[in-house]
Amino acid sequence: MIYSDQNIFAKILKKEIPCEKILENNFILSFNDISPKAKIHVLVIPKSPYIDIYDFNKNASKEEIVGFWNGVNETIEKLQIVDNGFQLKVHKGETGGQEVFHFHVHILSND
Ligand code: AMP
C-alpha cells in the first residue's frame, strides 16, 4: 500500500477539514475522535505521512519517534488523565480494524 494524502487525517493536517484540537507541535496533532467510544477519546497522529504503526516504526526517524511519543505524553498531561489512567489502542491494517490509513494512536479514558 502507498500512503494516500487523500485520507481524512491528511486532510485534517492540511486544514481542509476541521478537528477539535487538543494539542499541536512540530511532530504531532491530537484531537477528539468524531465518534467517541469512551468519555475521553482522543487520537494522536504524527505530522509525517506514515500508513500505520509498522510503517512508522520501520521508517520514521528517531527524532520523529521520540517526538511522537512525547506528544502522546503531553496530550495525556493536557487531558489530566495521567494519574487515573487510560488505554492506548492501535489498529493496523483492515484485519486489525484500521479505517484511516495515517498512523494514529487512540487514547481512551472513562475518568
Ligand atoms: P481506526 O479504526 O483505528 O482507523 O480509527 C479511525 C478513527 O478515526 C475512528 O475512531 C473514527 O471515529 C475516527 N475519525 C474518522 N473521521 C474523523 C474525523 N473527521 N475527525 C475525528 N475523528 C475521525
Side-chain angles (χ1 to χ4, degrees):
M1 180 188 274
I2 305 167
Y3 181 85
S4 163
D5 66 2
Q6 295 307 304
N7 75 72
I8 283 179
F9 297 166
K11 289 181 178 176
I12 287 175
L13 284 171
K14 288 184 278 185
K15 305 200 190 310
E16 291 173 7
I17 58 171
C19 71
E20 289 177 16
K21 190 193 295 185
I22 306 295
L23 190 85
E24 182 169 17
N25 64 31
N26 286 343
F27 294 101
I28 63 105
L29 174 66
S30 57
F31 51 93
N32 284 325
D33 194 291
I34 205 166
S35 174
K37 314 290 185 302
K39 212 163 108 190
I40 293 172
H41 187 172
V42 169
L43 303 171
V44 187
I45 66 175
K47 288 216 163 153
S48 302
Y50 296 102
I51 296 170
D52 56 31
I53 191 164
Y54 178 83
D55 184 24
F56 182 74
N57 288 347
K58 194 158 180 90
N59 297 312
S61 67
K62 287 199 171 63
E63 196 189 19
E64 286 173 324
I65 292 171
V66 170
F68 178 79
W69 290 107
N70 281 340
V72 171
N73 258 16
E74 286 173 30
T75 299
I76 61 174
E77 285 167 4
K78 189 147 187 197
L79 294 168
Q80 298 186 305
I81 54 172
V82 174
D83 289 339
N84 283 345
F86 51 85
Q87 285 184 308
L88 294 184
K89 271 195 184 178
V90 177
H91 299 142
K92 193 269 182 248
E94 276 175 28
T95 303
Q98 187 174 2
E99 291 169 5
V100 179
F101 290 88
H102 179 112
F103 170 49
H104 53 280
V105 167
H106 299 250
I107 300 172
L108 297 140
S109 174
N110 284 311
D111 185 18

